[in-house]
Amino acid sequence: MSKVILKGHILVPEPELQLVKQELEKHKRLTLEEAGCITFRVTQSAENSLRFDVYEEFINEAAFEAHQLRVKESHWGKVTNNVERHYEILLD
């Protein structure tokens, strides 16, 4: 099976920035605890405080899909409902 890599960025609406930043550490911790998560990085841009660069690796499509489902149903999913997502998903 192929490893799944997601890379790109999110753009957070300014009124929601503090809430997203508050919830981000919990989201990172929960994701890294998921079965099949290899790498998960979300880093705020130094040039644009509303942009967060995202890089994820999962062992296979099943692990990636399980992550997507968990996020959709999570508090993080609700907090980031208005975030613009710009991702590229690759199979390696």
Side-chain angles (χ1 to χ4, degrees), residues 14-36:
E14 190 167 5
E16 299 172 23
L17 181 61
Q18 289 309 313
L19 180 58
V20 168
K21 286 175 66 172
Q22 287 173 1
E23 294 297 323
L24 182 57
E25 288 307 312
K26 180 179 178 184
H27 175 56
K28 285 195 237 184
R29 180 179 49 78
L30 290 174
T31 300
L32 288 167
E33 291 173 357
E34 291 177 19

Side-chain angles (χ1 to χ4, degrees), residues 1 32-33 51 58 64 88 91:
M1 288 195 177
L32 288 167
E33 291 173 357
R51 177 185 167 126
F58 290 86
F64 178 72
E88 177 181 13
L91 299 178

